[in-house]
Amino acid sequence: YLDRKEPDSAVSILDKVTSGQLFIEAKILTAEIIAEHKSLDAGIASLNQYKNLSSEDELQFLKAKTSLLFTNNREQDAFDLMKSEDSKFNNFAEFKYDYAILAEKMGNIILMEQLLKEAIKIKPNYVNAYNALGYSYADRNIKLEDAKKYIEIALSISPNNHYIMDSMGWLHYRLGNFEIALQFVKKAYEIQKDPEIAAHLGEILWKLGKLKQAKEIWKESIKQHPSNTVLLETFERLQF
């Protein structure tokens, strides 16, 4: 129905899902359809009507609402919504992580660091929080020893995760270990041709004097991801 531009029919079918494993997914999809075809506020309101949800399901709805707000250029509303729920989800590592990522997007780096450390305290094996905190330091080229500690922990928990491989590679790039950096980021890119990994791989190759390879990777990735800001910024900054 969505392919045929029949959002009302799609919503009618989704409304039939009243319980079970697909309930949360169906309601979030409904909200996204309503937000796109009617109004953003109506889409969010469609999620607010459900009561007596588990904390985990409430958290899924909250994540969906903040995502809708953020992607529709209401970043401050998304942040304010997340902030208003802080006390309710104070013991949920996943909430702290999502809130941290939003804080980073809003430019509040101090809050991001605080929230990620709180997430790790709640859930000591929370790989995403370790990686996000370590990568943030590496990307800003600060506290590189701390960055190394956090990324090493993340990698020990999830050794085949391409995002963590990329973080470790980017850390080694910052440390000046360009060949080691290349090994990590190249392996990450082989697993997943993510545009930000492509940006890093190209920059490392550029630093090693492999300019042609760097440009080829950037151009290939830009074709697939023409709007990725990290990729475009790297390409524009380093090309001659």
Side-chain angles (χ1 to χ4, degrees):
Y1 288 104
L2 289 177
D3 290 341
R4 288 184 285 169
K5 310 297 183 186
E6 296 179 29
D8 291 339
S9 299
V11 168
S12 294
I13 290 173
L14 290 167
D15 280 345
K16 291 180 169 60
V17 182
T18 56
S19 62
Q21 292 182 337
L22 297 177
F23 175 77
I24 296 300
E25 186 179 337
K27 300 314 159 191
I28 290 173
L29 182 55
T30 297
E32 291 170 350
I33 294 167
I34 293 170
E36 182 179 355
H37 295 278
K38 291 184 180 178
S39 76
L40 174 59
D41 289 330
I44 289 172
S46 75
L47 294 175
N48 289 335
Q49 66 180 303
Y50 298 103
K51 310 300 179 185
N52 302 317
L53 298 170
S54 69
S55 295
E56 289 77 9
D57 289 345
E58 280 191 47
L59 193 53
Q60 287 291 95
F61 275 10
L62 175 61
K63 189 172 184 176
K65 286 185 275 188
T66 54
S67 177
L68 281 169
L69 287 165
F70 195 89
T71 55
N72 284 277
N73 302 313
R74 285 172 57 180
E75 295 90 347
Q76 190 61 50
D77 288 341
F79 183 80
D80 291 344
L81 175 59
M82 193 70 87
K83 185 179 180 181
S84 72
E85 298 288 343
D86 190 18
S87 58
K88 183 189 289 187
F89 295 104
N90 196 42
N91 294 318
F92 284 77
E94 290 77 8
F95 170 82
K96 299 286 186 183
Y97 176 80
D98 290 339
Y99 190 7
I101 298 306
L102 186 56
E104 181 187 31
K105 289 175 179 175
M106 297 295 291
N108 196 335
I109 301 301
I110 293 172
L111 178 60
M112 178 207 69
E113 290 184 20
Q114 174 194 323
L115 289 165
L116 288 174
K117 288 175 181 177
E118 289 174 6
I120 289 168
K121 187 175 285 188
I122 295 166
K123 190 174 179 180
N125 66 340
Y126 196 9
V127 65
N128 290 344
Y130 284 112
N131 184 51
L133 188 54
Y135 177 77
S136 175
Y137 289 148
D139 197 43
R140 288 179 285 146
N141 205 16
I142 63 168
K143 300 182 181 179
L144 296 183
E145 285 305 312
D146 287 341
K148 189 169 186 287
K149 177 182 72 175
Y150 287 122
I151 296 169
E152 281 178 343
I153 292 170
L155 206 56
S156 71
I157 298 168
S158 186
N160 297 315
N161 185 303
H162 52 280
Y163 291 118
I164 304 172
M165 290 178 193
D166 176 63
S167 296
M168 185 61 84
W170 200 234
L171 169 67
H172 279 289
Y173 175 78
R174 294 301 197 198
L175 291 168
N177 305 325
F178 303 126
E179 292 291 349
I180 297 173
L182 180 61
Q183 291 175 26
F184 275 105
V185 179
K186 188 176 180 183
K187 188 173 181 181
Y189 192 63
E190 287 170 356
I191 295 171
Q192 178 67 47
K193 287 183 165 47
D194 179 273
E196 293 188 22
I197 298 176
H200 292 160
L201 180 55
E203 188 156 348
I204 294 165
L205 288 166
W206 191 269
K207 194 73 175 180
L208 289 167
K210 300 177 180 181
L211 311 188
K212 184 179 178 183
Q213 288 182 48
K215 281 192 172 185
E216 285 173 355
I217 285 166
W218 287 329
K219 287 178 179 179
E220 176 192 356
S221 192
I222 287 169
K223 281 182 184 177
Q224 300 299 319
H225 309 278
S227 301
N228 186 273
T229 53
V230 173
L231 180 61
L232 291 171
E233 183 278 327
T234 304
F235 180 68
E236 290 168 6
R237 173 166 49 86
L238 295 177
Q239 70 168 335
F240 49 74

